[in-house]
């Protein structure tokens, strides 16, 4: 059936992967969307149920299996019925690669207020 097929930009918009169709089109043209391992070349490329999409968004990679063509941009609960998330699980217990590094080692850098008070007490400053 031809009605089961839908433009990739519309589908990305309806599935709430992006905020607008124009952003979806830019994402596709930039080569950040793959349909069944092949780069989507145009925003007018068609997807159908059963296709697997690989989407790169802001340092994250999503792997979604298309379950249905959307008819509107509805609430998030409705949007989640359009795809099955097959993305690899994020490693647990590890900090993400862009996490802020740990605190400084003791004794390096500026002293804390507690350390300053201790020094003042030992020196007899009131």
């Amino acid at each position: 059936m031809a009605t089961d097929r839908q433009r990739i930009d519309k589908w990305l918009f309806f599935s709430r992967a992006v905020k607008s169709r124009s952003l979806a089109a830019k994402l596709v043209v930039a080569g950040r969307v793959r349909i069944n391992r092949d780069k989507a070349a145009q925003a007018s490329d068609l997807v159908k149920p059963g296709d697997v999409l690989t989407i790169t968004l802001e340092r994250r990679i999503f792997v979604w299996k298309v379950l249905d063509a959307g008819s509107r941009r509805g609430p998030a609960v409705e949007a989640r019925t359009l795809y099955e998330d097959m993305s690899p699980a994020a490693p647990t217990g590890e900090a993400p690669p862009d996490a802020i590094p740990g605190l400084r080692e003791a004794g390096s850098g500026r002293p804390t207020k507690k350390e300053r008070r201790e020094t003042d007490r030992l020196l007899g400053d009131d």
Side-chain angles (χ1 to χ4, degrees):
M1 282 196 225
T3 59
D4 287 345
R5 300 177 72 87
Q6 188 170 43
R7 289 174 55 112
I8 185 68
D9 61 337
K10 283 180 86 169
W11 191 90
L12 289 170
F13 177 61
F14 292 158
S15 68
R16 293 183 159 263
V18 291
K19 291 184 178 184
S20 69
R21 270 186 71 186
S22 60
L23 285 176
K26 288 178 185 176
L27 193 70
V28 172
V29 171
R32 296 182 177 266
V33 178
R34 290 178 177 264
I35 304 171
N36 298 325
R37 295 189 177 182
D38 297 324
K39 276 190 181 178
Q42 301 175 355
S44 61
D45 287 351
L46 300 175
V47 293
K48 64 185 181 309
D51 284 347
V52 177
L53 303 179
T54 306
I55 307 162
T56 306
L57 287 174
E58 299 173 4
R59 289 181 260 146
R60 296 185 312 188
I61 297 174
F62 297 102
V63 180
W64 289 351
K65 182 177 182 179
V66 178
L67 299 178
D68 196 11
S71 59
R72 68 183 188 120
R73 182 178 168 93
V77 175
E78 182 180 318
R80 278 189 229 110
T81 63
L82 299 179
Y83 62 89
E84 174 188 347
D85 192 359
M86 300 170 35
S87 302
T92 57
E94 294 181 18
D98 57 348
I100 298 171
L103 297 175
R104 65 178 175 86
E105 293 183 23
S108 64
R110 287 182 64 179
T112 64
K113 191 170 187 177
K114 182 179 179 183
E115 292 168 343
R116 288 194 313 267
R117 285 181 178 162
E118 183 66 25
T119 304
D120 289 346
R121 189 183 61 76
L122 291 174
L123 294 175
D125 293 342
D126 290 319

